[in-house]
Amino acid sequence: MARLLIVEDDIKTNEAICEYLQAAGHEAVPALDGAQALDIFSGDHIDMAVLDIMLPKITGLEVLREIRKTSSIPVLVLTAMEDEYTQIKSFDGQADDFVAKPFSMILLGKRVTALLRRSGNFPELRKMQFGEVTVDFCGYTAWDKAGRIDITPKEIELLKMLAEHKGMVLTRTQMLDELWGYDYPIIDRIIDTYVKNLRKKLKLDCIVTVKGVGYKFEETV
């Protein structure tokens, strides 16, 4: 996937972001201050940066200015400063997106994916093959040699979400929030029903149950 520069001075937050994005298939390169970030950027190939504003040594806005002197890679500004001035300064510095802390890790992942797609570094998942079954995520259809398979749009979306987070365990709550919205009146066990339907309809063995947590997608050899 993409090589991401994660610039965040809080070690635990940096590690959590790196772990999440690595589980999604990216290579995450951590930097704990602005000077280290610019050293890494000048010496390595970087596809995108996730950049905190309040950094030791060199501020995030200064790092952004230096990046923009030589590169148009996507830059997502991540900060606890929600005031309008900080947001305006970020966009004036040609930031591509802005996320305020505290933030949802899964929402951050979606924004990273969206920015990479716009830059051409993350092609959208359109089709997948599972044995004799083909799933068209754009057309919301699935079929095998016997013909079309009866599958609902939400089942397609759930499978796509799991596939896009290959190897990462997603909780039922994460999946509900992403696919139905935070305020939708639905119980989390509905996810179990959808997973059961996917396994049966598409003859899948790549959706693995993680007891007490949720599910993850693992490609079979």
Side-chain angles (χ1 to χ4, degrees):
M1 295 289 183
R3 183 172 172 82
L4 311 177
L5 177 60
I6 311 302
V7 192
E8 163 63 58
D9 63 319
D10 183 85
I11 295 176
K12 289 185 177 179
T13 302
N14 196 313
E15 289 177 346
I17 295 172
C18 287
E19 182 179 346
Y20 183 91
L21 294 174
Q22 285 168 346
H26 302 294
E27 181 181 356
V29 182
L32 298 176
D33 60 60
Q36 185 184 19
L38 289 177
D39 285 343
I40 293 171
F41 179 76
S42 63
D44 292 347
H45 171 76
I46 298 296
D47 295 306
M48 177 179 171
V50 176
L51 179 63
D52 193 10
I53 291 291
M54 299 298 291
L55 294 171
K57 299 183 180 179
I58 302 175
T59 70
L61 290 176
E62 291 172 332
V63 171
L64 177 59
R65 281 195 290 270
E66 289 300 312
I67 288 175
R68 284 293 175 253
K69 288 179 181 179
T70 60
S71 175
S72 60
I73 64 166
V75 176
L76 186 152
V77 169
L78 180 66
T79 180
M81 301 172 67
E82 297 185 63
D83 61 283
E84 184 176 305
Y85 174 78
T86 301
Q87 296 186 43
I88 290 172
K89 293 296 288 183
S90 298
F91 288 120
D92 283 347
Q94 299 181 52
D96 296 279
D97 203 352
F98 184 102
V99 174
K101 300 176 183 178
F103 58 91
S104 158
M105 196 66 74
I106 196 165
L107 178 59
L108 175 66
K110 285 292 183 181
R111 289 179 179 267
V112 167
T113 298
L115 290 174
L116 288 171
R117 280 178 179 155
R118 287 180 212 161
S119 67
N121 288 320
F122 194 122
E124 184 178 2
L125 183 60
R126 294 179 177 272
K127 282 186 180 180
M128 288 192 76
Q129 193 77 28
F130 303 94
E132 295 181 346
V133 175
T134 300
V135 178
D136 180 351
F137 293 109
C138 295
Y140 284 82
T141 55
W143 63 90
D144 59 15
K145 61 182 180 181
R148 188 145 174 178
I149 298 170
D150 182 22
I151 191 166
T152 69
K154 274 291 186 285
E155 289 166 351
I156 291 278
E157 289 173 2
L158 178 58
L159 178 58
K160 183 179 182 182
M161 183 181 180
L162 287 163
E164 287 182 335
H165 294 80
K166 180 177 64 175
M168 179 179 177
V169 180
L170 298 180
T171 67
R172 294 175 179 85
T173 300
Q174 284 176 321
M175 290 182 272
L176 282 174
D177 289 347
E178 174 68 19
L179 299 178
W180 279 272
Y182 293 95
D183 300 323
Y184 197 85
I186 190 171
I187 60 173
D188 61 3
R189 290 294 171 179
I190 193 67
I191 296 294
D192 299 342
T193 301
Y194 277 80
V195 169
K196 180 181 178 181
N197 289 342
L198 283 170
R199 287 169 171 165
K200 181 179 180 181
K201 292 178 179 181
L202 305 182
K203 302 178 178 63
L204 297 180
D205 56 6
C206 55
I207 301 178
V208 178
T209 302
V210 181
K211 190 174 180 180
V213 183
Y215 297 95
K216 67 177 177 177
F217 183 95
E218 287 186 350
E219 286 185 327
T220 56
V221 179

